[in-house]
Amino acid sequence: MSGGSGPLPYSMRDVGAGGAYNNAKFRHRSRLKIVLQSLATNSSKYRCGKFTVGKFLSLLMVSGLLYLFLHKSPEGLVPDELLGKEVNNNNVRRSPSEWTSRQKKVKEAFEYAWSGYRNYAMGYDELMPLSHRGTDGLGGLGATIVDSLDTAIIMGADDVVSEASRWIEENLMKRISEKGQVNLFETTIRVLGGLLSAYHLSGGDHAGSVDSGIPASYKMANPERLLEVSKDLADRLLLAFTSSPTAIPLSDVILRDRTAHAAPDGLSSTSEASTLQLEFSYLSRVSGDPKYDREAMKVLEHMRTLPKVEGLVPIYINPSSGQFSGENIRLGSRGDSYYEYLLKVWIQQEENRDSSLKYLFEMYTEAMRGVKHLLVRKTVPNELVFVGELPFGRNGDFSPKMDHLVCFLPGTLALGATKGITKKKALENNLLTDEDIENLQLAEDLAKTCVEMYFVTSTGLAPEIAYFHIEGNQEGGPDGGYKSNKYVNDIIIKPLDRHNLLRPETVESLFVLHRITEDPKYREWGWQIFQAFEKHTKVDSGGYSSLDDVTSLPPHRRDKMETFFLGETLKYLYLLFDESNTLPLDKYVFNTEAHPLPVMRSVEQASHSV
Ligand code: DMJ
C-alpha cells in the first residue's frame, strides 16, 4: 500500500530487508547538511576550474564564519530560527561530552522547575507559576515533591533530594491520615510509585546500588521511612479493591475515613483500573505481604476473561458488573496504559514470564495486532503513520484523531520487541521474530509522527490532540502554524486542542527508542523539543508553565506546572542524553509515571547471571 489511507502494510512482507515499507523515505536533508553539501560542491567546482589562493582563502573564511554562527547560537548548536522546525540531524554524530553538557542543561531545568515550586508552592500538589501559589488538584499529598524525588536522585540533584526527603519524612504520613478524597490511579502512579522508586534507588531493597548505575553518594533519602509511608498509603488505597463487588476497583478513596466509592457515573476508566499492578506487586515483594499484589493482579486476571475487539478494549469499565461499558476504543486518554501495563507487568516479573503471567504477553500481542489492523493509518499527502480511534466500536466510523498521550506507544512497542536489550544485540542473538521487527518498525514510524506533531507548530511544541488528513475524510481544520514544515497539510489542530501540558509521552518514546535502536536522531529530536520547552514555557520567577495555544507566538500561558514535568518529562530527557546506560531497560521497568522499579528475578535467576 502506498499513499492511500487504508489499513497499513504492517505485514511481514512489507517490513523485511528491501521491503516496500521503508522508513528511510521519511528522511529529508537538514539545512546544515544542505549548506555543507553546497560548500563541498562549490569547492569541487573550484578544483575543476581556475583555483586561486584568494578563492581558497575566501572559502576557508566562509566556512569558519558558518561554523562560528552555528556554534554561538544561544541554544548551543542549532541556530534559533531553525528551532523545532525541519532540522533533521539524523547523520550528525556528536561527541559524548556534547551529550553530557546537554544532559547538564536538563538537570538545570529540573532544578529551575523545583526552585519555582519550592519558593511558591512547597507542600501543595502543584505550582501555579504565574500567580506564584500552589494548588491541590491531586488530593493534597504534596504530589510534586513525591513525583520529583527519584528524578532528583537519578540526576544527583542533592539539594532537591534532601529538601524533598525531609518534607516526606516530616509531613507525608500525617497528610495521608488527614486528607480526604484521592483518585486511586493518580495516587498509585504518582505518589506510591514515586515513594517505591525512591525507596529502591536509595538502597532500600539492596538491589538499587547493584543495577541502577546511580552513584551511592546520591542516595540521601531514608528508605525505611519511604517504605513505611508506602505501606500506610497502600493499605488505605486497598479499600478501593476490597470494597468493590467485583475484581474492578472503585475509582476513589477517602484516605482519612478508609472508605472507597465509585465515580459519580459509576464507571472506572479501563486504563486506571489496569495501571496499578507494577506498584502493588513491587510493594508486596519488598514488604513480604502478598495482599497488595493479590488484589491488583485480580484486575488483569479478570480482564483476561472479558470479550474484546481483536485484543482492544472499550475505555470504560463498570466496577459493579465487572463488564466493559460502551464501545469507545482508543489508545489515548482512559485507554493508554492498559496496553502499557499488559507488557510491563509481564516484563517486571521475570520469573513468571513463561508460566503464570504468560497470558499478559499474549493479551499484549493480540492487542498490538488489533492496533495494526484496526487503528493504524497513513496520512495524505505525506504518509505519516498514526493511530486513530473507533469511538463507536468495530462497526462504527474510524476517527483520524490522536491524543498526544498515544505517543507512549512507540516506546512500548520497542520495549515489547526486544524486551529492553538493544536491537543489535537482539539480532545478533537471533531473538527477534518477524512480528517483533514489524512492531519495531511501527514504533519508529509512530515516533516520527509524534515529533512532527511538535515540529508543525509555531512554537515547536505539540498540541494535546491532533487530527490527520486521510483519503476520503472531510475533517477540516487549521494547521499548526509553521507553514514551512513538510507535514503542515497532513496534521490538523483544532482550536480546543491547542494546549500543551508539558506532557512526557513523546520524549519517553524517544528515550526508549534511542536505547534500543541506538539511532542518534532520537536524541537530536529530543534536544529540539527540550529547547522549545525552554524557549516557550520557562517562567522568569521560577518553574515552567503549561500553554494554552502552541500554534500562536508568543503562546498564552496556562499557569500550571504539572507534576509529571518533573517526574517524567525532564527525567526522560535527562536519560535520553545519558552516556552510561543508567537504569538499563532489561533490568528496570518504568511505571506509567516514569518511576523506575526493578525487574524482579528469582534468587536462582539472579545467581545465574552473576
Ligand atoms: C501521567 O500522569 C502518566 O504518564 C499517565 O499515564 C498519563 N498522563 C500523564 C502524563 O501525560
Side-chain angles (χ1 to χ4, degrees):
M1 168 128 2
S2 68
S5 55
L8 262 200
Y10 283 103
S11 63
M12 308 317 150
R13 67 181 180 283
D14 297 307
V15 293
Y21 196 70
N22 179 359
N23 200 32
K25 71 185 166 206
F26 287 127
R27 299 202 177 107
H28 44 278
R29 290 195 305 167
S30 73
R31 292 181 191 190
L32 174 59
K33 210 174 137 197
I34 291 167
V35 177
L36 292 176
Q37 278 175 351
S38 90
L39 276 175
T41 316
N42 287 340
S43 88
S44 64
K45 271 188 209 146
Y46 278 122
R47 259 183 265 122
C48 298
K50 264 197 345 203
F51 190 69
T52 64
V53 173
K55 280 177 183 168
F56 174 75
L57 286 176
S58 320
L59 177 66
L60 213 62
M61 213 168 73
V62 170
S63 314
L65 282 173
L66 179 70
Y67 177 88
L68 281 176
F69 168 67
L70 291 175
H71 284 250
K72 281 207 159 173
S73 65
E75 281 69 22
L77 291 156
V78 181
D80 192 50
E81 67 274 19
L82 299 185
L83 277 182
K85 309 303 179 192
E86 285 185 288
V87 182
N88 184 326
N89 297 300
N90 290 359
N91 300 318
V92 177
R93 288 270 164 192
R94 296 185 194 281
S95 65
S97 65
E98 270 182 272
W99 288 115
T100 303
S101 83
R102 289 179 171 195
Q103 188 187 42
K104 205 165 146 250
K105 293 256 183 281
V106 179
K107 180 179 172 185
E108 284 163 16
F110 173 78
E111 288 169 335
Y112 191 80
W114 176 263
S115 73
Y117 171 78
R118 183 202 49 215
N119 290 344
Y120 300 115
M122 192 71 186
Y124 285 92
D125 282 333
E126 285 160 317
L127 167 70
M128 298 174 74
L130 305 183
S131 46
H132 297 165
R133 53 199 177 93
T135 175
D136 274 343
L138 292 159
L141 300 181
T144 291
I145 301 172
V146 193
D147 229 1
S148 300
L149 177 57
D150 65 349
T151 309
I153 295 174
I154 292 164
M155 291 181 175
D158 292 353
D159 290 347
V160 182
V161 176
S162 74
E163 285 165 7
S165 309
R166 193 174 336 117
W167 188 92
I168 290 169
E169 281 178 35
E170 290 171 3
N171 300 286
L172 190 52
M173 200 81 138
K174 187 162 180 289
R175 289 277 179 103
I176 290 168
S177 66
E178 288 173 352
K179 288 291 175 181
Q181 179 172 319
V182 295
N183 174 275
L184 169 67
F185 160 78
E186 297 292 0
T187 311
T188 299
I189 65 167
R190 300 187 202 217
V191 183
L192 185 59
L195 290 170
L196 290 172
S197 184
Y199 164 79
H200 169 77
L201 295 176
S202 52
D205 58 2
H206 307 293
S209 49
V210 180
D211 288 336
S212 67
I214 294 163
S217 60
Y218 296 161
K219 294 167 190 150
M220 298 161 60
N222 174 351
E224 284 70 36
R225 182 67 172 161
L226 292 170
L227 184 58
E228 190 188 353
V229 181
S230 301
K231 282 194 288 186
D232 182 54
L233 176 60
D235 285 343
R236 293 166 201 261
L237 296 177
L238 267 187
L239 269 298
F241 299 87
T242 53
S243 310
S244 170
T246 69
I248 304 304
L250 306 176
S251 66
D252 298 297
V253 171
I254 312 285
L255 289 173
R256 63 172 169 262
D257 299 346
R258 294 181 185 264
T259 58
H261 61 84
D265 60 3
L267 300 176
S268 297
S269 296
T270 301
S271 62
E272 293 194 3
S274 57
T275 309
L276 309 160
Q277 293 70 21
L278 289 179
E279 299 81 358
F280 279 82
S281 295
Y282 179 66
L283 180 57
S284 273
R285 178 65 65 108
V286 294
S287 68
D289 189 337
K291 68 185 175 191
Y292 308 107
D293 174 70
R294 189 178 56 232
E295 292 302 325
M297 289 305 292
K298 273 186 201 165
V299 180
L300 298 179
E301 284 151 16
H302 173 75
M303 284 182 170
R304 178 188 188 182
T305 66
L306 299 179
K308 306 178 183 67
V309 176
E310 300 189 23
L312 306 176
V313 294
I315 59 170
Y316 288 105
I317 191 158
N318 189 329
S320 298
S321 65
Q323 300 299 308
F324 288 120
S325 175
E327 294 193 274
N328 195 343
I329 289 172
R330 66 176 178 231
L331 270 79
S333 62
R334 302 184 189 280
D336 48 6
S337 46
Y338 163 78
Y339 304 95
E340 180 186 352
Y341 269 38
L342 289 180
L343 176 70
K344 287 185 174 176
V345 174
W346 176 80
I347 286 185
Q348 181 191 33
Q349 297 190 35
E350 192 167 3
E351 71 234 42
N352 298 326
R353 285 185 198 169
D354 293 328
S355 50
S356 58
L357 293 191
K358 200 168 168 212
Y359 75 96
L360 289 174
F361 191 68
E362 288 165 357
M363 284 166 76
Y364 165 78
T365 304
E366 192 195 356
M368 292 307 108
R369 288 179 190 155
V371 167
K372 286 179 276 187
H373 185 215
L374 297 173
L375 300 182
V376 173
R377 300 283 179 98
K378 276 197 228 170
T379 64
V380 289
N382 288 308
E383 303 192 347
L384 278 178
V385 176
F386 71 97
V387 177
E389 302 181 359
L390 290 173
F392 306 102
R394 179 209 288 273
N395 299 319
D397 284 345
F398 174 84
S399 168
K401 162 179 177 272
M402 184 166 118
D403 294 350
H404 182 274
L405 289 167
V406 180
C407 292
F408 82 94
L409 188 61
T412 296
L413 280 164
L415 186 65
T418 72
K419 286 76 188 172
I421 61 174
T422 63
K423 179 183 177 188
K424 186 164 171 267
K425 189 169 170 195
L427 284 170
E428 278 165 7
N429 291 288
N430 224 3
L431 294 174
L432 297 184
T433 63
D434 285 347
E435 192 165 6
D436 292 329
I437 292 169
E438 179 183 271
N439 286 354
L440 199 46
Q441 178 69 60
L442 176 58
E444 297 216 51
D445 294 344
L446 288 172
K448 161 80 181 162
T449 303
C450 289
V451 299
E452 292 304 341
M453 283 167 64
Y454 286 71
F455 298 166
V456 291
T457 71
S458 311
T459 54
L461 290 170
E464 177 74 356
I465 298 169
Y467 286 77
F468 295 89
H469 278 296
I470 54 173
E471 216 160 76
N473 187 292
Q474 301 308 311
E475 193 106 42
D479 57 46
Y482 184 63
K483 305 286 182 196
S484 326
N485 184 283
K486 176 178 173 185
Y487 301 99
V488 73
N489 293 320
D490 295 64
I491 300 177
I492 300 159
I493 303 174
K494 299 190 177 185
L496 291 178
D497 305 333
R498 288 172 175 163
H499 48 291
N500 179 297
L501 304 184
L502 312 171
R503 283 197 193 277
E505 290 76 17
T506 296
V507 295
E508 166 185 350
S509 284
L510 297 182
F511 157 65
V512 177
L513 274 163
H514 178 256
R515 282 276 173 99
I516 285 174
T517 66
E518 302 174 285
D519 187 333
K521 77 180 176 202
Y522 295 113
R523 281 179 153 181
E524 297 292 345
W525 289 346
W527 178 242
Q528 286 178 240
I529 291 170
F530 173 68
Q531 286 174 293
F533 277 127
E534 284 290 283
K535 186 166 180 178
H536 296 295
T537 71
K538 195 168 186 168
V539 176
D540 285 345
S541 49
Y544 291 75
S545 180
S546 301
L547 303 178
D548 268 337
D549 182 358
V550 293
T551 68
S552 69
L553 284 175
H556 190 262
R557 295 175 172 194
R558 220 173 220 207
D559 202 13
K560 179 85 153 323
M561 183 173 77
E562 302 279 346
T563 75
F564 47 70
F565 186 60
L566 293 91
E568 298 194 67
T569 311
L570 293 174
K571 181 188 288 151
Y572 281 129
L573 283 164
Y574 182 87
L575 291 172
L576 173 63
F577 304 145
D578 183 54
E579 280 290 312
S580 53
N581 199 29
T582 304
L583 301 164
L585 289 178
D586 57 341
K587 295 204 171 77
Y588 281 89
V589 271
F590 287 76
N591 89 337
T592 196
E593 190 74 7
H595 297 303
L597 297 170
V599 168
M600 301 187 296
R601 314 168 78 198
S602 64
V603 175
E604 198 189 326
Q605 279 173 320
S607 61
H608 273 304
S609 69
V610 175

